[in-house]
Amino acid sequence: MSASPGRAETFRALHHGRVPGDPLVLPGPWDAASARVFAEAGFPALATPSAGVAASLGYADGSTPAEEMFAAVARIARAVDVPVSADVEGGYGLAPKELVERLLEAGAVGCNLEDSRDGVLLDPREQAEFLAEVRAAAGDRLFVNARIDTFLRGVSDPDRTIERAALYAAAGADCVYPILARVEVLPLLRAGIEGPINVGAGVGDGPSPAELGERGATRITFGPGLQRAATAALKDIAARL
């Protein structure tokens, strides 16, 4: 299965024209069954979490072989009629053209690409060059979400995040994702960053998606939170059995 250009454009359009308080909410399916649950609930698109998929396959976060990750994404995309974006970590060392081909073959309409490796932030200009090559290979067939790992790696100055965001947007990223950005810093990021901003939300705690949207989020994802919540629920069921 390969994603159609029309589905990618549909997904891209979901990120634009949104009003504060109404961000795009993208649940994170970890397998075909969870994807169907979210699609049947009415969500217009989905975004796989690499950690959640890893757990479903029996791997630690960051340890899933590329072949298994793309196969999992393909099963998820095949199971639903809504656009699916895929978290492919740092790209698994693939050349941009091959990475794009693998994503499209799996049926994905977008991807997350992170800018740290082995716990260390990558040079932002080198990452921007990589993103530009991905954009050139993909054209408008993929929505590129550039994850910014500054807060994750202990760089708390929002200006460093804004600088990376500007480089990545200039390289062709459609959206940036300052993972673990504090709620109170979101308005500053919104003021300094052009284009859509992805913000991570908790499951059952913390600010609601609407509240995060009021503070500047364009779209909301949950990382592995939904998969972990489902696992916790299954543990409760198992204990009762």
Side-chain angles (χ1 to χ4, degrees):
M1 173 183 177
S2 61
S4 68
R7 187 169 289 191
E9 284 307 306
T10 296
F11 184 66
R12 183 172 283 107
L14 289 171
H15 293 76
H16 296 282
R18 309 203 72 89
V19 299
D22 182 33
L24 173 63
V25 178
L26 297 175
W30 54 94
D31 60 13
S34 59
R36 285 183 176 141
V37 167
F38 297 137
E40 289 169 4
F43 290 97
L46 308 174
T48 69
S50 62
V53 173
S56 76
L57 297 174
Y59 293 102
D61 184 20
S63 300
T64 309
E67 291 290 339
E68 294 199 43
M69 184 61 76
F70 287 115
V73 171
R75 288 191 292 272
I76 289 167
R78 186 172 61 244
V80 295
D81 291 327
V82 299
V84 174
S85 182
D87 182 350
V88 287
E89 302 174 294
Y92 306 110
L94 298 173
K97 185 174 185 296
E98 183 179 357
L99 176 62
V100 167
E101 289 173 352
R102 297 292 297 275
L103 283 161
L104 293 174
E105 287 171 0
V109 300
C111 63
N112 274 21
L113 291 167
E114 59 198 46
D115 68 350
S116 65
R117 184 180 302 122
D118 299 324
V120 178
L121 283 166
L122 300 174
D123 179 275
R125 288 171 178 77
E126 291 180 4
Q127 180 68 359
E129 290 176 4
F130 173 68
L131 292 170
E133 291 177 13
V134 171
R135 169 55 65 217
D140 61 1
R141 297 176 296 170
L142 284 177
F143 184 97
V144 178
N145 187 34
R147 200 179 89 177
I148 302 175
D149 290 358
T150 43
F151 296 109
L152 177 64
R153 303 305 175 196
V155 180
S156 59
D157 182 354
D159 287 341
R160 304 289 80 78
T161 298
I162 291 169
E163 289 168 0
R164 284 179 178 256
L167 286 170
Y168 301 165
D174 296 285
C175 182
V176 295
Y177 177 17
I179 190 170
L180 295 190
R182 303 182 308 279
V183 173
E184 60 269 21
V185 83
L186 292 181
L188 181 60
L189 296 180
R190 177 67 284 169
I193 294 173
E194 293 188 14
I197 299 176
N198 188 145
V199 173
V203 179
D205 59 3
S208 69
E211 290 168 335
L212 292 171
E214 291 284 0
R215 289 176 176 266
T218 309
R219 84 180 205 178
I220 305 296
T221 54
F222 302 90
L226 292 162
Q227 182 270 330
R228 290 173 180 170
T231 299
L234 190 58
K235 286 181 180 178
D236 288 341
I237 294 170
R240 289 197 298 272
L241 293 176

